[in-house]
Amino acid sequence: MSSNHIISVLVENKSGVLAKIAGLFSRRGFNIESLAVGTTDDEKISRITLVVKAETHSIEQIVKQLHKLINVLKIQELDPSNIVERELVLIKVNSDNNTRAEILEIANIFRASIVDVAKKSLVIEITGTSRKVDGIEELLKPFGILELVRTGKIAITRGAKK
Amino acid sequence: MGKITGAQMLIKCLKEAGVEVIFGFPGGVVIPIYDALYDSDIRHILVRHEQGAAHAADGYARSTGKTGVCMATSGPGATNLITGIANAYMDSIPIVAITGQVSTHVIGTDAFQEADITGITAPITKHNYLIKDIKELPSVIKEAFYIAFTGRPGPVLIDIPVDISKGHIDENFKPEIALEGYKPTYKGNPRQIIQAVKKIQESKRPVIFAGGGVTSSGGSSVLTEFAQLSKIPVITSLTGKGTFPDTNSLCLGMAGMHGTKYANLAFTETDLIIAVGVRFDDRVTGKLSEFAKNAGVIHIDIDPAEIGKNIKVDIPIVGDAKSVLSDLKLKYEETAAKTGITDQKPWIEHVMELKKTCALKYNDTPGTLKPAYIIEKIYEITKGDAIICTEVGQHQMWTAQYYKFTKPRTLVSSGGLGTMGFGFPAAIGAKVGNPEKTVIDIAGDGSIQMNVQEFATAVANKIPVKIMVLNNGYLGMVRQWQEFFWNKRYSHTNIEGSVDFVKLVEAYGGQGFRVKEKSEVEAAIKEALAIDNLVLVDFWIDREENVYPMVPAGSAIDQMIECD
């Protein structure tokens, strides 16, 4: 059974490292569902958060292969029940005088913010779990989504443990 | 403090890394490096094609146990190394490939002879570097050699832009190594070793399966001691040949597609595989679901990713083969003395009986020249003391079957990648690394034509390698598959009359003779070995001789096609 796995990888912040990691996934036959990269509190180290759909056995193998990359420092497969996960999404949606109020109401319920208003469109910014993001997307669809950008999931474990 | 160029610093670092020889080919952006090499006592062997350089570095590494070095220019020079790098990667051979690159400020502009070689080689190197700052150069060289040689060995590529080679750096600049993410495990977990011994103690029908990892760890003698002590029979992989002597009565030879029948049957019947430095390649296991169905598996490997990759493992032990085998042997001795070991004698006797009844055989039909006979003669004449290189195909399998390898690093053969054209340049590398040894490339008439330009390298550099071509005028292994599985439709496998090999080798300044009769074989081999030059012997063998036994691809390994 395939399911989504969240893998958090600490890597040396050097050029070419992301390409090596992404390449490893593709040549071993994995599709990356989402990917987010940024530096950590130590600027020499970056964190890559990946969501991959795969069977548990295959994930073990890919994690072992990842470990073999010299620039990879640490890998954690995150347990979904013990993490805080977030994704940021920007949605440009059709709106006019007739629909604007209703869209604002939806955004309000989801605690999203409006970051751009134009005559015929609105840009909504929302942060949350993937489920929340999917929820607002569903509700906004009837108005006509012009563009949608997701950052990809990032996650951190709960509690003091690193 | 004096300043030196990046190229001079490179040579200085290579010296410090213990490099004695580089196999390479110059070009535009490596001229500064070649200029620095001009003043150095590092030997440089000029090849005629960069693929030859990579294979020569590989052959040097396989036969000496040191790290091989090859060098090429940017673009096509670098891409010509690819097959050689991939070959070394598949068989875990330590080589360092140095490539020139266009100047840093034009990288990414499709400059003349620019290729993204670090991008291209990412999947086939253990690690690679593109140097963008001259201050990185000393530490990169040091790291590259460390990474290539330690842990599970493998190729490392260093891409050096020409402005870095021409730039200047303090002569005494000290490299710093920082490899936070690279810490190979050498020592096996003691609790796992105790578990393993317990498993061996309970087993009634154990076998050891030893591969190239034993050779690269230097663990061959410990393996032999352990097998002698425990009397457990040993099966080897192709790259494991020589790590346990073929002449030892416990040796069952190679298993798999063209393995011995008794090794394949032993795998099928065993209840415990003690696997060391092997990766359970499909050419060994055949149909995975049928492979060693009744066996537990102890898997010892320095690369955790190999354990559990292809087959389910009961006791994984991550560590260096030599170190783990030593610990295992000690623990085994202790346990045997204290609590005894299950009686494995009936099994061992059974296996020894299989070895007798299922011996390898070929029909030595009068009037024909059989490849197996030639290889037996090469073994007899060299007394098993030569370094034997092979290309890929039928001749390679006959060599693995009929030559008795008794010492590690005496077979230099492309296992994982199966690279035709590997053997001859690899033999050049092996001879450079072992000038006192006889080095023979056993080749097919197809393979030898793939890097035939290196005849010039061997002659010009006085590297007296011997080539034994088993010439059947076919791309024989493919023809054999076509015969068995494709209704003898010999599509594009007949290469009869490609070239007169004797004239060809003579044109390059070597010597050659042709052998068509069985009676001439022995004298021809002896004469070839006596000549201090490149020699090619062109044996016209029985054209449609097959490699037996053969397990059809995808079948269980006890389902063999056998010689009548």
Side-chain angles (χ1 to χ4, degrees):
Chain A
M1 257 285 288
S2 287
S3 58
N4 275 339
H5 298 261
I6 308 169
I7 302 171
S8 169
V9 189
L10 286 178
V11 299
E12 291 179 80
N13 183 10
K14 288 182 179 169
S15 67
V17 176
L18 179 63
K20 280 179 184 162
I21 290 178
L24 182 66
F25 277 84
S26 71
R27 73 177 169 270
R28 302 241 169 211
F30 292 89
N31 189 23
I32 298 172
E33 305 271 317
S34 100
L35 176 111
V37 195
T39 53
T40 59
D41 52 324
D42 179 347
E43 63 175 22
K44 286 183 189 146
I45 296 173
S46 294
R47 184 184 293 280
I48 300 177
T49 310
L50 293 133
V51 179
V52 186
K53 192 173 254 176
E55 290 175 23
T56 308
H57 172 80
S58 318
I59 274 294
E60 280 170 19
Q61 178 59 211
I62 196 87
V63 167
K64 283 176 172 177
Q65 295 293 348
L66 271 178
H67 267 295
K68 286 168 69 172
L69 297 179
I70 308 290
N71 303 119
V72 168
L73 304 174
K74 192 179 173 191
I75 305 168
Q76 264 181 303
E77 201 197 327
L78 301 178
D79 172 5
S81 65
N82 193 32
I83 55 167
V84 181
E85 53 156 302
R86 291 291 181 269
E87 193 173 13
L88 185 139
V89 184
L90 296 171
I91 308 171
K92 189 184 284 179
V93 64
N94 261 330
S95 80
D96 53 29
N97 291 339
N98 298 327
T99 56
R100 193 169 293 121
E102 199 180 335
I103 294 171
L104 287 175
E105 185 60 22
I106 292 170
N108 211 9
I109 293 167
F110 278 87
R111 284 192 236 158
S113 15
I114 308 298
V115 290
D116 179 63
V117 184
K119 258 188 182 164
K120 289 183 175 170
S121 70
L122 283 172
V123 175
I124 299 170
E125 174 200 313
I126 180 160
T127 314
T129 61
S130 300
R131 190 190 281 183
K132 180 177 168 187
V133 171
D134 292 344
I136 192 169
E137 190 188 332
E138 223 23 66
L139 290 174
L140 292 175
K141 257 186 195 161
F143 301 98
I145 291 176
L146 299 169
E147 253 181 284
L148 185 147
V149 193
R150 303 172 86 126
T151 56
K153 190 181 287 188
I154 56 165
I156 201 162
T157 51
R158 293 179 188 275
K161 222 178 90 194
K162 225 179 155 184
Chain B
M1 265 191 294
K3 292 258 186 189
I4 56 173
T5 65
Q8 287 168 326
M9 180 52 100
L10 168 68
I11 302 299
K12 185 170 174 247
C13 294
L14 292 178
K15 284 287 287 179
E16 276 164 24
V19 174
E20 291 158 355
V21 59
I22 298 171
F23 303 91
F25 196 96
V29 295
V30 287
I31 294 176
I33 299 175
Y34 272 86
D35 190 67
L37 203 54
Y38 203 59
D39 298 323
S40 163
D41 58 355
I42 295 179
R43 188 176 179 197
H44 179 271
I45 305 286
L46 175 65
V47 295
R48 294 297 183 270
H49 184 294
E50 292 87 349
Q51 186 185 350
H55 289 327
D58 181 322
Y60 174 88
R62 281 183 211 240
S63 61
T64 61
K66 300 176 197 166
T67 300
V69 181
C70 58
M71 188 150 71
T73 192
S74 63
T79 55
N80 276 347
L81 294 174
I82 298 295
T83 303
I85 294 172
N87 188 73
Y89 185 70
M90 284 290 263
D91 287 348
S92 310
I93 304 304
I95 66 170
V96 170
I98 297 164
T99 51
Q101 182 55 278
V102 298
S103 207
T104 47
H105 67 275
V106 295
I107 287 178
T109 64
D110 305 318
F112 177 65
Q113 292 193 329
E114 180 183 359
D116 172 16
I117 200 65
T118 47
I120 292 170
T121 56
I124 52 165
T125 49
K126 187 170 170 187
H127 193 48
N128 64 27
Y129 296 92
L130 167 60
I131 300 180
K132 286 186 172 162
D133 177 348
I134 195 165
K135 288 201 182 72
E136 294 169 9
L137 191 126
S139 52
V140 164
I141 310 298
K142 201 166 179 179
E143 281 181 17
F145 278 86
Y146 179 70
I147 291 170
F149 194 70
T150 54
R152 177 180 182 173
V156 177
L157 180 135
I158 308 167
D159 201 19
I160 308 178
V162 63
D163 54 325
I164 303 281
S165 310
K166 288 202 278 192
H168 289 86
I169 184 168
D170 282 338
E171 191 178 0
N172 297 315
F173 189 88
K174 284 280 167 269
E176 279 171 48
I177 281 207
L179 288 168
E180 272 300 304
Y182 179 69
K183 293 186 179 82
T185 308
Y186 280 81
K187 184 114 180 100
N189 181 315
R191 268 181 310 192
Q192 293 295 93
I193 289 169
I194 291 171
Q195 287 301 315
V197 170
K198 209 170 149 220
K199 193 101 182 158
I200 298 169
Q201 197 182 10
E202 289 162 359
S203 160
K204 289 192 179 115
R205 303 186 302 277
V207 292
I208 295 168
F209 179 30
V214 179
T215 302
S216 68
S217 75
S220 301
S221 44
V222 191
L223 169 71
T224 308
E225 287 164 27
F226 176 64
Q228 293 284 19
L229 173 76
S230 62
K231 299 276 181 292
I232 299 175
V234 180
I235 296 171
T236 63
S237 66
L238 176 68
T239 48
K241 280 245 141 208
T243 208
F244 186 75
D246 279 332
T247 46
N248 189 304
S249 65
L250 290 168
C251 188
L252 302 184
M254 182 175 81
M257 185 172 273
H258 294 296
T260 60
K261 185 175 180 182
Y262 41 92
N264 286 355
L265 292 179
F267 259 152
T268 308
E269 294 172 23
T270 180
D271 67 356
L272 178 66
I273 299 172
I274 306 156
V276 201
V278 287
R279 55 188 182 85
F280 292 97
D281 179 77
D282 56 85
R283 283 295 187 266
V284 167
T285 62
K287 189 178 183 182
L288 259 182
S289 57
E290 296 293 318
F291 177 74
K293 261 164 122 177
N294 309 311
V297 177
I298 299 166
H299 196 169
I300 301 163
D301 205 288
I302 198 155
D303 179 2
E306 282 308 331
I307 297 177
K309 186 180 82 176
N310 292 338
I311 64 160
K312 205 178 139 280
V313 170
D314 300 275
I315 301 175
I317 305 178
V318 176
D320 172 69
K322 182 182 182 182
S323 159
V324 175
L325 278 171
S326 310
D327 293 350
L328 190 72
K329 183 182 151 247
L330 273 180
K331 204 81 223 158
Y332 180 91
E333 267 175 321
E334 244 179 71
T335 310
K338 263 193 230 156
T339 50
I341 301 283
T342 306
D343 183 15
Q344 294 160 350
K345 245 193 193 153
W347 163 247
I348 294 160
E349 282 164 9
H350 169 65
V351 170
M352 293 304 128
E353 190 57 30
L354 283 179
K355 218 178 146 174
K356 267 188 225 148
T357 53
C358 310
L360 283 167
K361 62 171 184 187
Y362 62 95
N363 295 323
D364 202 1
T365 328
T368 62
L369 182 51
K370 294 291 185 175
Y373 173 79
I374 298 167
I375 289 163
E376 285 174 338
K377 281 289 155 198
I378 296 174
Y379 170 71
E380 265 177 49
I381 292 165
T382 59
K383 301 181 185 70
D385 202 30
I387 294 173
I388 303 293
C389 305
T390 78
E391 311 286 338
V392 166
Q394 288 183 310
H395 67 273
Q396 178 191 30
M397 293 297 107
W398 286 318
T399 303
Q401 292 176 334
Y402 290 98
Y403 192 95
K404 293 187 181 69
F405 293 93
T406 53
K407 290 177 206 124
R409 304 195 181 280
T410 51
L411 172 63
V412 173
S413 191
S414 166
L417 197 66
T419 310
M420 290 172 71
F422 166 76
F424 178 57
I428 290 178
K431 183 69 182 171
V432 168
N434 302 270
E436 75 295 347
K437 289 242 175 188
T438 299
V439 177
I440 299 173
D441 176 36
I442 299 179
D445 51 313
S447 287
I448 194 63
Q449 293 185 63
M450 281 205 182
N451 272 316
V452 79
Q453 76 286 345
E454 302 307 332
F455 283 5
T457 309
V459 173
N461 293 284
K462 299 194 170 26
I463 304 167
V465 166
K466 318 295 164 175
I467 307 167
M468 308 287 162
V469 178
L470 307 183
N471 186 348
N472 57 11
Y474 279 119
L475 301 174
M477 188 58 96
V478 178
R479 187 211 58 76
Q480 177 172 340
W481 284 51
Q482 288 169 334
E483 178 187 332
F484 288 176
F485 314 115
W486 299 88
N487 291 322
K488 298 197 178 182
R489 288 158 55 85
Y490 295 156
S491 179
H492 298 277
T493 42
N494 192 342
I495 55 166
E496 199 181 10
S498 299
V499 65
D500 182 329
F501 285 109
V502 173
K503 281 188 184 158
L504 183 66
V505 71
E506 283 170 358
Y508 276 103
Q511 278 168 267
F513 5 97
R514 184 160 296 121
V515 173
K516 296 179 182 176
E517 304 294 331
K518 190 177 169 185
S519 57
E520 303 162 356
V521 170
E522 197 168 326
I525 296 169
K526 282 183 178 159
E527 195 182 341
L529 298 190
I531 296 169
D532 187 26
N533 191 0
L534 172 70
V535 183
L536 182 148
V537 188
D538 182 20
F539 293 100
W540 284 24
I541 61 165
D542 189 359
R543 290 200 69 199
E544 302 205 356
E545 177 75 355
N546 289 318
V547 183
Y548 294 110
M550 176 181 193
V551 178
S555 298
I557 58 168
D558 59 346
Q559 306 297 310
M560 285 162 274
I561 303 172
E562 294 180 67
C563 176
D564 309 321

